[in-house]
Amino acid sequence: MTDVVIVGGGVIGLSIAYELAGQGASVRIVEQGTVGREASWAGAGILPPGNPEFARSPEVRLRAESHILWPKLTAQLFAETGIDNGYRVCGGINVRLDVRAGELEGEIASWIDEGVEVERLDLDRVWRHEPELSRDIRHSYRLPMLGQVRNPWHLKALLAGCAARGVEVVEGNPVVGFDVQNDRVVSARTTMESHWGGQFCIAGGPWTRPLLRQFGFEPCIEPVRGQIVLLATPPGLLQHVIEDGPRYLVPRADGRILVGSTEEHVGYDRRTTAAGVAGLIRFAVERVPALAEANVEKTWAGLRPGSLDGLPYLGQVPETENLYVAAGHFRSGLQMSPFTAVLLREAILGQRLSMPLDAFACDRHQRTAVE
């Protein structure tokens, strides 16, 4: 019997498995499709900065602690697997074309309150940093410590790291239910077999909600489609990640630039659409006019697990002794995965928690409704 069965093989499930196996636990990942090929693979890999000492909310703490862990995790994965995950600190510039300066001032104030280094940029300075940015930009600031990682490379490194630590991976095996005895889950059932374990963790992204219905609990997690366009340009066109609200340009060292992302509530529909792609290309060209000549190399979409309040669900499922959940990170799954994995490893193995999980509790919305 396996010590821990993890349902879901995205970046959250893989990260938790890697952490658990590093503590000597035997772990099996059961994935309905191919490991690492859903939202984890589809994202852009932006890693916002953070400072745990100044974190005043659970969400900020989760991001800040992960920010601290990324360099260590990258080095550890490389030492164990020889795979480069593409992590680097490139800095980010947040821009606006037509918004009032006060909106960005509010963002700057928030970063300062979080103890994060931030630079106000006048127009001359922003163009010195990024000469190809549009002359229509009116307001901007820079986050020198913002980083990025290559999602597919990181998932490949995590999968190899899990293999090196003895994690078993079962793909193409959707879980359809759980066998329970006296409030304890004893196995996860698929259409082909049962996976027996001592502890269970559901990290199924937007598929988490139906998996938990058996337990009379439905977390407020819905799929949100995000479309992305990959452009090919000569290397060096951009150095920084460029963000404008929820949309972004992420330059890779090889000249490719990721343009994202839409936020569409369309159920489990993964299609890319003409309107979505056209809107992203228009966004890119308006911020960096030279991208009008870029080659459109590829488009794709991922389904991100959005929660009602923007916070993930982390910890033990109510009225069960050995079932845990880690899902609902929305756009932040990759960036928050290192510390999420630490917290779930601590919870599952009964170790002292690095931070309380009350704000991420599985039944927080039900408790609020009763109160």
Side-chain angles (χ1 to χ4, degrees):
M1 183 174 70
T2 306
D3 291 334
V4 185
V5 175
I6 297 175
V7 180
V11 70
I12 299 296
L14 283 168
S15 299
I16 295 169
Y18 183 72
E19 275 286 327
L20 288 166
Q23 299 270 314
S26 60
V27 184
R28 176 180 298 169
I29 295 173
V30 184
E31 164 58 38
Q32 65 178 349
T34 302
V35 167
R37 295 295 295 185
E38 290 292 345
S40 305
W41 177 88
I46 301 172
L47 305 176
N51 185 337
E53 294 183 15
F54 289 81
R56 292 186 172 89
S57 74
E59 183 273 336
V60 171
R61 173 84 183 274
L62 193 57
R63 168 168 48 80
E65 295 283 4
S66 292
H67 169 74
I68 299 299
L69 289 173
W70 267 106
K72 178 183 176 181
L73 175 61
T74 296
Q76 190 173 45
L77 285 171
F78 186 78
E80 293 182 17
T81 70
I83 297 173
D84 174 16
N85 66 2
Y87 169 79
R88 64 188 178 96
V89 176
C90 58
I93 295 178
N94 204 306
V95 303
R96 295 292 191 277
L97 297 184
D98 53 9
V99 76
R100 294 186 301 273
E103 181 175 319
L104 258 64
E105 283 298 321
E107 293 181 16
I108 291 170
S110 294
W111 287 116
I112 293 173
D113 286 345
E114 292 179 23
V116 171
E117 182 182 358
V118 58
E119 300 175 4
R120 290 180 174 84
L121 298 177
D122 58 30
L123 297 183
D124 287 339
R125 289 181 65 203
V126 71
W127 292 320
R128 284 201 296 271
H129 281 296
E130 293 291 356
E132 296 297 336
L133 281 174
S134 169
R135 267 43 185 176
D136 291 331
I137 287 170
R138 292 292 173 263
H139 311 287
S140 65
Y141 65 86
R142 179 172 178 261
L143 297 173
M145 297 307 296
L146 182 141
Q148 63 166 280
V149 69
R150 299 287 287 263
N151 298 40
W153 296 6
H154 182 63
L155 290 161
K156 183 179 178 181
L158 269 179
L159 184 57
C162 284
R165 294 183 172 189
V167 174
E168 182 183 359
V169 176
V170 180
E171 297 181 309
N173 212 353
V175 170
V176 296
F178 298 88
D179 294 313
V180 181
Q181 296 177 2
N182 300 323
D183 296 328
R184 287 186 63 85
V185 177
V186 295
S187 75
R189 285 183 285 106
T190 72
T191 55
M192 296 178 283
E193 59 186 326
S194 292
H195 300 276
W196 302 83
Q199 307 279 347
F200 294 80
C201 180
I202 299 177
W207 290 272
T208 296
R209 185 172 185 172
L211 287 170
L212 286 170
R213 285 195 183 118
Q214 174 182 341
F215 302 94
F217 165 64
E218 290 196 48
C220 301
I221 298 176
E222 298 290 346
V224 183
R225 183 171 69 190
Q227 300 186 51
I228 292 182
V229 175
L230 179 64
L231 302 178
T233 70
L237 185 71
L238 291 176
Q239 301 299 321
H240 294 74
V241 170
I242 307 300
E243 295 186 83
D244 186 340
R247 297 199 171 185
Y248 52 75
L249 303 170
V250 180
R252 304 303 198 198
D254 58 11
R256 291 180 172 88
I257 295 177
L258 289 165
V259 186
S261 126
T262 62
E263 293 182 2
E264 303 166 86
H265 295 267
V266 293
Y268 292 91
D269 183 352
R270 292 191 192 86
R271 294 177 304 146
T272 55
T273 65
V277 170
L280 292 173
I281 292 175
R282 182 168 58 252
F283 164 83
V285 173
E286 287 176 351
R287 274 76 186 164
V288 182
L291 290 177
E293 301 301 318
N295 177 49
V296 178
E297 188 168 303
K298 192 176 181 181
T299 65
W300 64 84
L303 299 176
R304 298 164 299 192
S307 71
L308 185 66
D309 57 7
L311 295 176
Y313 293 87
L314 305 176
Q316 193 169 354
V317 174
E319 299 183 19
T320 69
E321 292 184 10
N322 63 336
L323 179 61
Y324 298 82
V325 64
H329 294 74
F330 190 34
R331 298 172 68 125
S332 303
L334 188 81
Q335 62 178 260
M336 293 180 173
S337 58
F339 195 51
T340 293
V342 169
L343 292 171
L344 266 294
R345 180 255 294 164
E346 293 169 344
I348 291 169
L349 297 184
Q351 299 169 344
R352 182 178 179 180
L353 291 173
S354 297
M355 68 173 285
L357 294 178
D358 295 350
F360 309 110
C362 299
D363 61 348
R364 61 183 184 270
H365 300 301
Q366 290 89 330
R367 286 192 279 111
T368 300
V370 171
E371 293 169 0

